[in-house]
Amino acid sequence: VVVSTTLIATMSDPSSWTADGGDGHEHYYLRHLQEANNTNAPTSSPTPQPGELWQMIYVGVVLLVMFALLISDKIGADMVMLAALTACMAGQIITVQQGVAGFANVAVLTVMILFVVAAGIQLTGGLDWYMAKLLGRPNSVQGAQLRLMIPIAFISAFLNNTPVVVVMIPIVQKWCRTLSMPVGQLLVPLSFASILGGTCTLIGTSTNLVVYGLLQDTYPGVYDIGLFSLGQYGVPIAFVGMTYILVFAPCT
C-alpha cells in the first residue's frame, strides 16, 4: 500500500516523468520503487524502559486473573471488572480521574436509563400481552422462529438488546412449553435477533453508544451520526442473519 501510494503521488507530478519511451518508464518505476523501499525500511523498535516493562507485566497479570475469574463464573462480572479497574489504579497504571471517567460517559448513562425502562416494562408486564398476541401458535419451529425474530429485532432497535433478552427469556420458555417445542431452537434465535436488531439504530446496543461517545470525545463536532444512520448497513445485515437462522437452524 505504501509503495502504491508513493507511485500514485509521484505519477501525478509531470516533472518526474521521462520522455525516453519504454526504457524511461522502466527506469521510472524501478527508481521510485527503490526510493519507497528505502524510505519505509523497518527500524529497530525502542527497548522498553524498566518502568514500562513493569507496567506491561502488571497489566498482563491483571488481565489473566480477570479472564480466569470471568471464565470460572464464581464472582459476578461487574465485581471482577471493578476489581481489575481498581488494581490498575492502585498500580498507578492509570490515574483515578481516568479510571472513573467512564462512569461519566453519556453513552454509559444512556445504557443505564434503558435498563430502567426495560425493568419497568418487565415489572408491569406491559410486554407480555403484546408478545402473546404477536407470537401466536405456529405449527412449526421455523414459523415460531420467524414470529419471534421479527418483533424482537424491531424492539431491539429502540431498546438496549440485553434487557430485551432478559425480559423475553421467561416469555419464550413459557411459550415453548405451551407449544411443546425445544427451548434451544428459540432461545438462540432470540439472542441473535436482538443483536441484529440492535445494529440498526444508534441506541440499539450499548456498543454503538459507547463507540459514539468515544468518537465525539476524540473528534468533537466532526462526525454527526443520527439515530437511523446505521440502518443502511444494519437492516440488510439483520435480514440476512435472520434468513440464515431460518435456513440452517433446523440442521443443528
Side-chain angles (χ1 to χ4, degrees), residues 141-156:
V141 175
Q142 289 84 356
Q145 291 173 343
L146 184 62
R147 285 175 177 248
L148 176 65
M149 287 191 296
I150 292 178
I152 291 302
F154 179 79
I155 294 172
S156 296

Side-chain angles (χ1 to χ4, degrees), residues 25-96:
H25 289 299
E26 293 177 2
H27 290 303
Y28 163 76
Y29 284 112
L30 289 174
R31 184 176 72 253
H32 288 289
L33 281 173
Q34 184 177 7
E35 291 177 357
N37 290 332
N38 292 336
T39 303
N40 298 281
T43 57
S44 58
S45 58
T47 304
Q49 300 298 322
E52 296 176 353
L53 181 61
W54 175 85
Q55 292 178 347
M56 294 167 60
I57 297 174
Y58 183 87
V59 173
V61 172
V62 170
L63 291 177
L64 287 176
V65 174
M66 182 188 72
F67 284 123
L69 292 175
L70 289 174
I71 293 173
S72 66
D73 202 22
K74 294 181 179 179
I75 305 176
D78 53 345
M79 299 301 297
V80 174
M81 295 293 183
L82 286 175
L85 177 62
T86 304
C88 290
M89 290 189 292
Q92 296 183 350
I93 305 300
I94 57 176
T95 63
V96 177

